[in-house]
Amino acid sequence: MMAYTQQEQRNLDLVEAMFDHVLIPMDGDAADRFIAPDYIQHNQWVDTGLEPLKAFLRKVRGENPDAVHDIKRRFADGDHVIVHYHVRRFDGDPGFAVMDIFRIEGDLIVEHWDVVQDVPTESPNPYSPF
């Protein structure tokens, strides 16, 4: 187990709470408690800033109300938190392997990057992406 500084542990706790209250339930209205209004978004599907993220979450929740975000691992390094998880939009969906990187400043998420890949139904590799 990694030993974290107090600030790194607070950052991990912040991101975990954000997943619990925002991403897992896809509740854009809860995002204000965790994400800075002018946060920088690097995801190419969403415009930068908090309001576009909230609109995106509402859209996704409407399209996939039963989506699952299954966190596999998370790490902190200074002011960054990395989360690796499996998104499934509906029952039976192979889903996506997702790696998020969040930068935290002043107890709010101020920047976000992600990498998303489809989970194949067939692969020559015997190991899953998780």
Side-chain angles (χ1 to χ4, degrees):
M1 182 167 173
M2 297 181 72
Y4 293 114
T5 66
Q6 287 181 343
Q7 184 61 54
E8 287 172 330
Q9 188 60 56
R10 279 196 303 274
N11 293 345
L12 276 169
D13 294 344
L14 171 73
V15 170
E16 184 174 358
M18 187 273 299
F19 266 80
D20 288 346
H21 297 283
V22 178
L23 290 185
I24 291 172
M26 292 178 283
D27 183 359
D29 295 328
D32 298 292
R33 298 183 358 226
F34 305 98
I35 301 170
D38 58 348
Y39 102 115
I40 301 165
Q41 173 68 271
H42 295 277
N43 179 307
Q44 298 299 292
W45 299 329
V46 185
D47 198 0
T48 198
L50 181 57
E51 291 306 317
L53 173 65
K54 290 163 81 170
F56 177 76
L57 289 170
R58 288 182 196 109
K59 176 180 178 281
V60 169
R61 183 179 182 172
E63 293 171 355
N64 303 288
D66 299 321
V68 173
H69 296 71
D70 182 13
I71 296 173
K72 303 299 184 180
R73 56 194 55 83
R74 60 194 186 105
F75 309 94
D77 182 17
D79 61 355
H80 288 80
V81 172
I82 300 109
V83 182
H84 182 212
Y85 59 103
H86 187 188
V87 173
R88 293 180 308 280
R89 295 162 291 184
F90 48 84
D91 192 36
D93 180 22
F96 305 110
V98 181
M99 187 81 67
D100 278 332
I101 303 171
F102 301 98
R103 185 171 63 85
I104 291 90
E105 192 176 281
D107 294 324
L108 287 174
I109 295 166
V110 296
E111 195 163 6
H112 167 253
W113 300 260
D114 61 2
V115 179
V116 180
Q117 76 177 59
D118 290 326
V119 174
T121 54
E122 294 182 28
S123 171
N125 187 332
Y127 300 103
S128 88
F130 308 105

